[in-house]
């Protein structure tokens, strides 16, 4: 045991920190999906995995990289802590309230909008089937149809929106939150059907993790508090699913993993996590004789918002900035993902590493406190959406990708439209104000007549 501590001190410390997040959720009966817990747990456990050094590309962080990683965590936690401190000083409830059906929410309209989102996803599935001739999982060579050589055009954008449909249907699928039984039954079926169809049509890890992640977070607030033990089991299952899909995509060199040694089978999931951190270290420590990637001075920060307007793409081409595949800063070809901290750093330098996590911690905690009273579908859906990305930050900065910005706006628009209700007005003659005005007019007319 002591030899492990001396050989893997960073991993031991990171795993201890992530274990603390699980234990305090059990011992103190805290919500595991609170902003601080999700950030610290996801960053710690993934960094601990990376520092196991199962691949030679994972080298020790340089001091600047440690500074960025620690500053991001401290800033996020500080922002969240400050908001909670102010809330407690004003005696605002900070414990999650039990779910209750929202008043004046149109669940039937919500179901209609959910089917609209599903229809867009179904169009994407149709486009994939048109090109491949079948659902990809039933084709002779799924890896071929999931490679970068196949261009599905806008169908790829639509078929990747399956998790949006799952999120919208899931909001209406819980009895404690939705008292419309018919809508609940349909929503439950559509959640399972959408996840299954997404897997069969285009077996993508990211879409599956999104869908299951949204479902778990919503279940935590609208059904029953999810135990950290269950979360640990889901993490183990996630690794198994990762290996299965990687095998299907021929990322092990073939579609059959039987007979392969366990260290070989598990190396790809390790690299999938670790390359985010070795790319971060490689990117922020440019060689003295050249710059790996130029700073964007905040311009590329808005890429996700303007991506489909072609505006941000023009900037990237003109200034030779990386796209979402991070080709310039990938340390090992083909493993090109990187922590969100790199995007923040290249946009705003160290000021961004401090201020963006700070503001995100404050904003998410404000939204989290909304769940400590009777909450609306909009509040719980948006919080589930955003907190998932906080957990996913080791992998990607979602705000840089246009599709995720569209998802956020659609979730806000749908849940707002279903909660909007025209006020029931009364006839002017029936209101006290109108009576008063009429009385004043009659008095003025009487005085004018006497004159």
């Amino acid at each position: 045991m002591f030899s492990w501590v001396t050989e893997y001190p960073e991993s031991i410390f990171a795993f201890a920190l992530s274990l603390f997040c699980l234990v305090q959720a059990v011992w103190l009966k805290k919500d595991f999906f609170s902003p601080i817990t999700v950030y610290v747990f996801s960053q710690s456990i993934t960094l601990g995995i990376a520092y196991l050094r199962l691949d030679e590309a994972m080298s020790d962080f340089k001091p600047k990289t440690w500074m960025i990683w620690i500053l991001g965590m401290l800033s996020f936690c500080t922002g969240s802590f400050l908001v909670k401190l102010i809330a407690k000083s004003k005696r605002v409830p900070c414990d999650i309230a039990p779910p209750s059906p929202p008043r004046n929410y149109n669940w039937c309209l919500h179901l209609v909008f959910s089917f609209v989102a599903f229809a867009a996803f179904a169009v994407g599935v149709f486009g994939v089937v048109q090109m491949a001739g079948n659902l990809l999982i039933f084709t002779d060579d799924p890896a071929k149809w999931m490679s970068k050589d196949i261009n599905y055009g806008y169908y790829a954008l639509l078929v990747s929106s399956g998790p949006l449909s799952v999120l919208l249907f899931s909001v209406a699928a819980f009895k404690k939150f939705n008292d419309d039984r018919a809508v609940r039954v349909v929503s439950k079926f559509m959640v399972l059907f959408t996840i299954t169809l997404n897997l069969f049509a285009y077996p993508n890890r990211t879409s599956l993790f999104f869908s299951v992640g949204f479902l778990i977070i919503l279940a935590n607030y609208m059904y029953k508090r999810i135990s950290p033990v269950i979360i640990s089991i889901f993490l183990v299952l996630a690794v198994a699913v990762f290996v299965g899909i990687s095998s299907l995509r021929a990322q092990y060199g073939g579609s059959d993993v039987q007979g392969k040694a366990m260290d070989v089978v598990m190396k790809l999931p390790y690299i999938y996590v670790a390359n985010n951190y070795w790319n971060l270290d490689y990117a922020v420590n440019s060689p003295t004789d050249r710059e790996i990637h130029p700073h964007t001075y905040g311009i590329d920060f808005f890429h996700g918002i303007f991506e489909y307007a072609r505006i941000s793409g023009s900037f990237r081409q003109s200034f030779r900035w990386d796209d979402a595949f991070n080709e310039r800063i990938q340390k090992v070809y083909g493993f090109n993902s990187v922590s969100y901290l790199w995007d923040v750093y290249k946009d705003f330098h160290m000021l961004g590493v401090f201020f963006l996590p700070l503001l995100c911690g404050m904003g998410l905690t404000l939204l989290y406190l909304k769940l400590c009273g009777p909450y609306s579908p909009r509040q719980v859906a948006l919080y589930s959406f955003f907190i998932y990305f906080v957990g996913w930050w080791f992998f990607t900065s979602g705000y840089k990708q246009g599709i995720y910005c569209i998802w956020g706006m659609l979730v806000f628009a749908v849940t707002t439209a279903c909660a909007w209700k025209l006020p029931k007005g009364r006839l002017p003659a029936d209101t006290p104000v109108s009576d008063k005005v009429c009385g004043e007019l009659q008095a003025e007319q009487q005085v004018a007549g006497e004159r």
Side-chain angles (χ1 to χ4, degrees), residues 1-20 40-55 58-61 66 69 73 270 273-274 277:
M1 180 66 73
F2 182 75
S3 62
W4 291 357
V5 175
T6 56
E7 189 174 357
Y8 304 106
E10 299 89 355
S11 293
I12 295 297
F13 176 77
F15 288 147
L17 196 57
S18 57
L19 181 62
F20 172 78
V40 175
F41 178 81
S42 61
Q43 292 287 325
S44 298
I45 194 171
T46 52
L47 184 64
I49 292 171
Y51 255 95
L52 291 175
R53 298 186 184 89
L54 300 182
D55 190 278
M58 184 61 201
S59 55
D60 288 336
F61 275 2
W66 276 118
W69 188 82
M73 178 178 288
Y270 167 79
V273 173
Y277 292 105

Side-chain angles (χ1 to χ4, degrees), residues 37-256:
T37 303
V38 169
Y39 188 100
V40 175
F41 178 81
S42 61
Q43 292 287 325
S44 298
I45 194 171
T46 52
L47 184 64
I49 292 171
Y51 255 95
L52 291 175
R53 298 186 184 89
L54 300 182
D55 190 278
E56 60 182 7
M58 184 61 201
S59 55
D60 288 336
F61 275 2
K62 295 179 177 60
K64 188 176 183 180
T65 313
W66 276 118
M67 186 185 304
I68 290 174
W69 188 82
I70 293 173
L71 180 60
M73 178 178 288
L74 290 178
S75 297
F76 187 92
C77 294
T78 300
S80 180
F81 178 75
L82 287 175
V83 172
K84 277 197 171 182
L85 194 64
I86 295 172
K88 289 181 178 179
S89 67
K90 295 184 177 181
R91 297 182 178 179
V92 175
C94 296
D95 294 325
I96 297 298
S100 58
R103 301 175 63 182
N104 299 326
Y105 191 81
N106 193 331
W107 285 111
C108 292
L109 183 60
H110 179 100
L111 187 63
V112 170
F113 281 129
S114 301
F115 271 108
V116 171
F118 177 80
F121 163 68
V123 171
V125 172
F126 173 77
V128 170
V129 171
Q130 283 289 98
M131 292 192 66
N134 203 342
L135 299 174
L136 296 194
I137 202 169
F138 298 125
T139 58
D140 295 333
D141 189 4
K144 168 189 173 183
W145 297 104
M146 287 183 285
S147 67
K148 295 180 180 180
D149 298 331
I150 306 297
N151 182 13
Y152 291 104
Y154 281 104
Y155 288 126
L157 178 66
L158 296 176
V159 79
S160 63
S161 293
L164 174 64
S165 302
V166 172
L167 177 60
L168 292 175
F169 282 121
S170 297
V171 173
F174 296 92
K175 183 178 180 181
K176 294 180 180 179
F177 198 60
N178 178 12
D179 51 11
D180 192 322
R181 184 175 181 275
V183 173
R184 286 200 315 269
V185 171
V186 174
S187 297
K188 289 177 182 178
F189 171 78
M190 290 305 300
V191 167
L192 297 176
F193 179 71
T194 305
I195 294 176
T196 304
L197 181 60
N198 205 160
L199 272 176
F200 285 2
Y202 198 94
N204 179 272
R205 289 182 295 254
T206 302
S207 295
L208 178 62
F209 291 163
F210 264 111
S211 298
V212 176
F214 289 153
L215 187 58
I216 291 174
I217 297 171
L218 287 169
N220 180 72
Y221 294 113
M222 297 191 293
Y223 175 66
K224 184 180 180 181
R225 189 70 56 86
I226 303 296
S227 168
V229 177
I230 301 298
I231 293 171
S232 302
I233 294 174
F234 270 110
L235 290 176
V236 174
L237 291 176
V239 174
V241 170
F242 182 96
V243 172
I245 294 180
S246 299
S247 173
L248 186 66
R249 299 185 67 166
Q251 288 181 295
Y252 291 114
S255 61
D256 187 7

